[in-house]
Each structure stands twice: as C-alpha cells, then as structure tokens.
Amino acid sequence: MSVFSIGDVITFATSDSKKFGNISNSLIYMFITPISGIFGIIYLYILFGYSTFVGVSIMLILMIVNYIYVKRGMFYQKEYMKSKSERIKKSSEMFNNIKYIKTSNLELFFGNKIQQIRDVEMKWILKICLRSIYTVANSWLITSVLMAGTFISYIISGHELTSSKIFTGIAIFKMIQDNLSYLPNVVGSFFDLIVSSERLANFLLIKNQKP
C-alpha cells in the first residue's frame, strides 16, 4: 500500500471511480452519432451526388486533427490527476500535523507549499478546458465546412442549386450537427475513462504487503 499515498487513494475513490458512472450516459451517443452521420451523408449524396464527397473530405481532415488533439488530452488528464493526488496528500499531512504547525507558526510556509501544487493543478485544468473548447468549436465547424464544401462544389460542377435542395440539405446538416455536438463530450469521457482505468488497474494489481 505504501506505493500509493492517501491522496492517491482518495482520488481513486472520488474521481477515478466516478468516470465509470459518467460514461454510461455517453455510451448511447457513441452508437447514435456514427449511424446518423452515415445516413446523413447517404441522403446528401442522393441530393448532391459526388459534390458531397468534397465536403466529406474536408470534414474527415478536421476530424483527424480533432482526434489528435483530444488524444493529447489523455496526457493532460494524467498529469491533472497526479497533481490532484499530490495536493490531497499534502493537505492531509498538513491537517494531521496541524497542532505542530500552529504552535511552530508554519501556517504560511505549508500554505505556500499547497498553493504551489494547486497552481500546477490549475495549469492542467486550464489545458483540459482549452481542449474541450477546441473540440466543441471544431465539432460545430465540421458541419459548416461540410455544408459549404458541398454547396460550392455542387454549383461549380454546373448544377442548379434550387431552394428545395437548399432547405432539405440544411435540415440534414442540422441533424448531423445536433449529433456531432455530443461527440466531444463522448470522446473526452471515453479518454478520461481510459486514464482512470489505467490508474485503478495499477492500484488494484499491487501485491498486498504483510503487516
């Protein structure tokens, strides 16, 4: 048990284990989003023909970039959990020795130590938030690029873009966009679950020490 501190155990119980409960709400969107996207692209192909693939190609490039950045978030999540465990550990040690700290007038010293760890933790929280902002913005941008690329290529190829096709196409794009809006949260929750699973597995697989 000495491999992990009290802060680690508290983080396992409060944060990592909670990821398993949160992922259940996102599982359904992992199936709905790809299916709705495939059917939406099929309907667009029926309406606009090969022009659809221009927008789809641009969309795939943006999704690959988005995936790389979201995967980078796994590193951010690991570092955040480490710094959180360290902060909880130091806070627990301080409260366990609060009588000595008060009598020795060391409140400011230990407070600065915890604040330094908290600043590191806040740095990783900021990076995680920026990752979420980017993925959400990119998911909305993907649908706009798909719509613009499809319409422009359809007009350039010499076809007439009628009002009926425009409104039908916008309705399909709206359906794809509504489902893609959940995708960043789903992917982020999935990667967070992977990080928490690795941390919990390392904790559960350690050998018990004889008293």
Side-chain angles (χ1 to χ4, degrees):
M1 192 72 168
S2 59
V3 178
F4 297 97
S5 65
I6 296 298
D8 292 327
V9 176
I10 293 174
T11 306
F12 292 148
T14 57
S15 298
D16 291 303
S17 59
K18 191 182 294 184
K19 302 296 182 183
F20 290 87
N22 295 338
I23 195 64
S24 60
N25 298 325
S26 303
L27 283 175
I28 187 171
Y29 293 108
M30 294 182 69
F31 299 99
I32 291 177
T33 301
I35 293 173
S36 63
I38 291 171
F39 278 105
I41 292 172
I42 291 173
Y43 287 139
L44 289 175
Y45 176 75
I46 295 172
L47 279 174
F48 302 106
Y50 291 106
S51 300
T52 305
F53 295 114
V54 176
V56 171
S57 300
I58 301 173
M59 182 186 73
L60 289 176
I61 294 173
L62 290 175
M63 290 183 69
I64 292 172
V65 174
N66 198 12
Y67 170 77
I68 294 172
Y69 194 70
V70 170
K71 194 173 181 180
R72 179 69 179 173
M74 290 182 64
F75 172 74
Y76 298 157
Q77 185 68 21
K78 287 181 180 179
E79 295 300 319
Y80 163 64
M81 299 304 288
K82 287 180 183 178
S83 59
K84 183 177 181 180
S85 298
E86 183 66 18
R87 176 178 58 82
I88 295 174
K89 173 187 173 184
K90 295 297 183 183
S91 299
S92 299
E93 291 175 351
M94 187 183 75
F95 283 113
N96 290 335
N97 299 279
I98 191 65
K99 185 181 292 186
Y100 170 77
I101 293 172
K102 294 291 288 184
T103 56
S104 302
N105 196 26
L106 295 173
E107 299 97 325
L108 185 60
F109 174 78
F110 283 97
N112 290 334
K113 288 289 185 182
I114 293 175
Q115 185 60 46
Q116 289 174 2
I117 301 172
R118 180 60 176 167
D119 291 339
V120 174
E121 184 182 1
M122 289 300 296
K123 181 189 73 172
W124 294 115
I125 291 176
L126 177 61
K127 290 188 176 183
I128 292 172
C129 291
L130 291 175
R131 181 207 70 180
S132 300
I133 293 171
Y134 171 79
T135 50
V136 170
N138 198 9
S139 66
W140 285 88
L141 179 64
I142 284 173
T143 310
S144 301
V145 169
L146 174 59
M147 180 171 59
T150 301
F151 285 167
I152 292 173
S153 61
Y154 188 75
I155 295 172
I156 292 176
S157 61
H159 296 89
E160 182 182 359
L161 191 62
T162 61
S163 58
S164 60
K165 289 189 175 182
I166 291 175
F167 287 113
T168 305
I170 290 175
I172 297 173
F173 289 129
K174 184 68 168 59
M175 178 191 70
I176 297 174
Q177 186 179 54
D178 289 340
N179 287 282
L180 283 177
S181 63
Y182 296 103
L183 192 60
N185 294 328
V186 173
V187 175
S189 298
F190 182 71
F191 280 119
D192 290 346
L193 179 65
I194 293 175
V195 174
S196 296
S197 299
E198 292 177 354
R199 286 167 51 83
L200 286 172
N202 293 331
F203 173 66
L204 295 173
L205 290 175
I206 62 173
K207 295 182 179 179
N208 293 329
Q209 295 183 353
K210 296 182 179 180

